[in-house]
Amino acid sequence: MKDKNGKLIYEGDIAYIACEEENATIKWDSDLARFVVDFIDENITADFDNYYSQELEVIGNIYEEEQC
């Protein structure tokens, strides 16, 4: 899937989710065999399929030192 700017979304990306007004990390859940959205400021994980691409904007990834 691509974000609202056409950028491909990968595991480890940090995305701003507009409808939630929150940042989240994209992770692979091997127990569920699917990607999930792990909200950074809250202890909540949601199914990646719950969101449309226009709701997501990649702002960095967990491998970069400086985040947006």
Side-chain angles (χ1 to χ4, degrees):
M1 181 180 343
K2 295 180 181 181
D3 74 356
K4 71 177 197 169
N5 299 315
K7 184 174 182 178
L8 287 172
I9 301 172
Y10 295 99
E11 179 182 13
D13 279 346
I14 297 173
Y16 175 73
I17 303 178
C19 63
E20 305 288 351
E21 297 182 348
E22 302 239 5
N23 293 338
T25 304
I26 309 303
K27 295 183 177 179
W28 176 255
D29 186 323
S30 57
D31 292 334
L32 298 174
R34 64 175 59 180
F35 286 99
V36 295
V37 176
D38 189 23
F39 290 94
I40 294 171
D41 293 334
E42 300 188 26
N43 193 17
I44 299 173
T45 301
D47 190 343
F48 184 77
D49 292 336
N50 289 348
Y51 300 98
Y52 298 106
S53 62
Q54 66 267 21
E55 297 175 320
L56 305 174
E57 180 178 13
V58 174
I59 59 171
N61 65 59
I62 61 172
Y63 307 107
E64 297 174 346
E65 286 188 38
E66 188 175 316
Q67 301 296 326
C68 299

